[in-house]
Structures are given as C-alpha cells and as structure tokens.
Amino acid sequence: MRKRLVVALSGGVGGAKLALGLSRVLPADELLVVANTGDDFEHLGLSISPDIDTLTYTLAGIDNPATGWGRRDETWSFMDSIGALGGEDWFRLGDRDLALHVERTRRLRLGQTLSEVTSDICRRLGIGARVLPMSDDRVRTRVRSERGWIDFQDYFVRQQCRPVVHELAFDDVALARPQAEIAAALRSGDVRAVIVCPSNPFISVEPILAIPGMRDAIKASGAPVVAVSPIIGGQAVKGPTAKMMRELGLEASAAGVAARYGDLLDGYIVDHADADGVGHVGPQVTIAKILMKTLDDRETLARVTLDAADALASQR
Ligand code: FO1
C-alpha cells in the first residue's frame, strides 16, 4: 500500500509559498498543512492567527502578493478610522481581512475550536487540502530582548524586529497537545513525507516541534523528514531568521539551520549558493534552486522536495 499523506509544517510567508507548491502537485486529500499558532495574539479584542491566515489566503489564491500576508484587493477604511480615533493601527488589518478575525473571534467565543473554525473557513474559501493549527491549545511565542520579554507581534511588527533577541519562549507549550487530526495522521502509518517548509526555524517551526509528543510522533511516523533551507547565501529570504541566529549566537547559514533541527531531518534541500557549506551536515543534502519567485518555482521546489523524500523512503 503506497504511503499517501504529505504532512507539511509551515509558518510565515516562506512556508506558505512551499505549501502552495505542494497543494498544486498533490491531490487535495494527500496534503495536511500544520500551521504554527505561536504567533497568535489577541488584538483590538480579536483572536488573530497570522500563520493560519497566511496559509489560508495563499492556498485560496487571495493573498497579497506584495507582502505575502493579508489579502489582495484590500481597502483600509477601518485602519484609517481606528488611527484617527487614536486606536492601535500598527498591526495592519484590511477591511476584508478584518471580517475573518471578527468571525473567528465570534465562533471561538461560542466554544468552537480553532481547528473547527479553520476547517470551515478553508472550506468556504474552496481550499481542498487540510490546513490545521498545530494545537487547539493556546501557545504564545515571546521574545526576550535587552528590555525584557515582549510579545511576538510587538517584536515582529510594531518594533519591526529591531530588538536584539536573547531568548525565545513558547508560553504554555508544555500544556499544549498536538492537534488531534495531526496526531492521528502521524500515527496512521500512511505518511509519505513530513516536509519542514522554508519558515523561520525559531518562530515558525520550533513552536510546532516543542509541543509535547509532536517531535516523537513525527519520528515515529516512519516517514522521511525533509526540510527546505530558509537561508540562501547566508541571508534569510524574508524576515529576521539570519539576524535572530546571529543574536542567539548561532551560525546564520543553511548548515546552522540543519544543526538547529538536530536529528529530526533525513533530507535537506539547499540552494546552490550554500552547497559548499553543507558538506558536514547530518541529513542527505539535495542542491536545488530554492528561491521561489513564480508559481512554477513553488511547484518545482515542491516536486524536488517530494522526490528527495521518496528517494529516502526507497533507501529504507
Ligand atoms: N506583518 C507586518 O510586518 N506588518 C503588519 O502590519 C502585519 C499585519 C498582519 C495582519 C494579518 C496577518 O495575518 C498577518 C500580518 N502580518 C503583518 C504578518 C505577521 O505578523 C507575520 O506573518 C507572522 O506572524 C510571522 O510569520
């Protein structure tokens, strides 16, 4: 019986790009995308899940191509009015995007789980693949800078990643349980590959792996685990990955990211620019073009990643 299911771990804009590539080369029922929820926060009285929404909008083809987050064809009347009233307008919520946050908040207050809300929104947006939060329990990423602990979105958006990061914490992760369908999928024996998307390892992937039982479930799935480097030529494609690695005293390189994942990885997809630096990393390296500018780039990288996983599986 051929193993069918691809489980992708994703957060942020880079992860969503590869998730889109995977969704275009796999049947809908063969892709389950695990969304980081450590970036979630309450803002303006709303429950906001940025990485879920970035995945949802991207897979639905309604993402803002310029930013990678939020929706295309947006209007900003609400933000303009909030600003005029002296309210908080540093976290940009477009009028169409705002409706999602208001509706999700309403349903969560009714007692629905984040998974139930997310699944229904994906269905309404015509997304066939499963997009699920890593857990239905609350996890919050916080950053310790020279001025003490700050919430993630305050660091990432309001302060535009300027503070120096001395430490990261995922509050309440020790109490969080892997989302039920994800845990069941990993136990099914039906997993073809676990793909770690090119997301920031610290803020997008480690919250997922820090959930008790998640890392073990991935390893026990029997599937090859293949990551795509989020670093090209020593630089992050987007966001603070390289800066964070330097501030945390780590080597800001593709090899440094592989080392961070430890023994989790069986395969690692690295750009030509970093081919020389990854000779000594543990996982089996595949050199490919990993900068995704076009839709075709996304699909090609998805195929390269799946081929690497299949090759590893056949070696078992
Ligand atoms: N990122 C920004 O840099 N500035 C914003 O104003 C902003 C608003 C925003 C609204 C909704 C949403 O889903 C994401 C948004 N993001 C914004 C991105 C978000 O902060 C990051 O994508 C993740 O939290 C980190 O990957």
Side-chain angles (χ1 to χ4, degrees):
M1 166 76 169
R2 186 172 66 86
K3 297 192 173 193
R4 293 175 49 250
L5 187 64
V6 172
V7 176
L9 311 184
S10 177
V13 171
K17 287 180 179 171
L18 184 61
L20 179 63
L22 289 166
S23 75
R24 294 177 64 88
V25 300
L26 290 168
D29 67 348
E30 296 191 10
L31 177 60
L32 192 168
V33 188
V34 179
N36 168 45
T37 56
D39 294 2
D40 291 9
F41 72 137
E42 282 67 42
H43 184 60
L44 304 178
L46 300 169
S47 296
I48 296 182
S49 297
D51 283 355
I52 291 178
D53 295 350
T54 298
L55 273 168
T56 306
Y57 290 150
T58 300
L59 294 181
I62 56 174
D63 57 305
N64 177 332
T67 56
W69 52 262
R71 292 181 61 149
R72 64 186 61 194
D73 308 327
E74 260 299 6
T75 54
W76 299 94
S77 302
F78 173 76
M79 276 285 107
D80 294 345
S81 299
I82 272 278
L85 290 168
E88 291 193 87
D89 61 357
W90 55 269
F91 193 78
R92 310 295 296 158
L93 294 170
D95 299 327
R96 290 185 172 79
D97 187 31
L98 180 61
L100 171 51
H101 304 296
V102 169
E103 178 58 9
R104 170 168 43 222
T105 302
R106 181 185 72 82
R107 295 186 190 189
L108 290 174
R109 284 201 184 127
L110 288 176
Q112 286 187 27
T113 65
L114 186 55
S115 298
E116 287 164 341
V117 178
T118 303
S119 299
D120 185 58
I121 288 165
C122 285
R123 184 179 57 76
R124 289 170 183 273
L125 291 176
I127 297 169
R130 277 184 290 171
V131 176
L132 290 168
M134 66 190 193
S135 174
D136 280 319
D137 301 315
R138 173 194 168 93
V139 177
R140 290 289 181 273
T141 298
R142 284 158 58 76
V143 172
R144 184 170 61 78
S145 72
E146 61 279 8
R147 288 198 300 277
W149 289 98
I150 41 183
D151 293 342
F152 178 74
Q153 295 298 341
D154 188 299
Y155 160 75
F156 191 85
V157 178
R158 200 174 67 80
Q159 302 192 55
Q160 297 179 351
C161 306
R162 281 190 300 270
V164 172
V165 175
H166 295 302
E167 191 181 353
L168 286 163
F170 311 131
D171 286 357
D172 300 331
V173 75
L175 306 173
R177 291 153 294 173
Q179 196 275 349
E181 279 181 65
I182 297 168
L186 291 172
R187 268 197 314 269
S188 69
D190 193 22
V191 182
R192 171 184 175 188
V194 175
I195 308 296
V196 181
C197 292
S199 305
N200 181 312
F202 309 100
I203 56 180
S204 298
V205 180
E206 287 190 0
I208 300 172
L209 299 176
I211 294 171
M214 185 72 85
R215 197 180 183 106
D216 292 343
I218 289 170
K219 291 174 81 75
S221 72
V225 181
V226 179
V228 175
S229 170
I231 299 256
I232 297 179
Q235 291 302 318
V237 178
K238 183 179 177 70
T241 304
K243 174 178 181 283
M244 232 178 225
M245 291 185 84
R246 284 192 295 277
E247 291 167 353
L248 291 169
L250 301 166
E251 181 194 333
S253 65
V257 170
R260 183 76 186 183
Y261 284 131
D263 64 355
L264 181 74
L265 301 186
D266 301 299
Y268 194 41
I269 316 295
V270 166
D271 192 82
H272 300 277
D274 303 284
D276 298 342
V278 288
H280 58 285
V281 299
Q284 188 163 315
V285 170
T286 301
I287 305 297
K289 172 178 175 282
I290 67 174
L291 183 63
M292 295 177 275
K293 287 186 181 305
T294 66
L295 191 51
D296 190 52
D297 291 343
R298 289 160 173 69
E299 292 181 18
T300 303
L301 184 56
R303 286 198 181 88
V304 163
T305 307
L306 291 172
D307 290 349
D310 291 344
L312 284 159
S314 64
Q315 290 165 15
R316 291 195 169 179

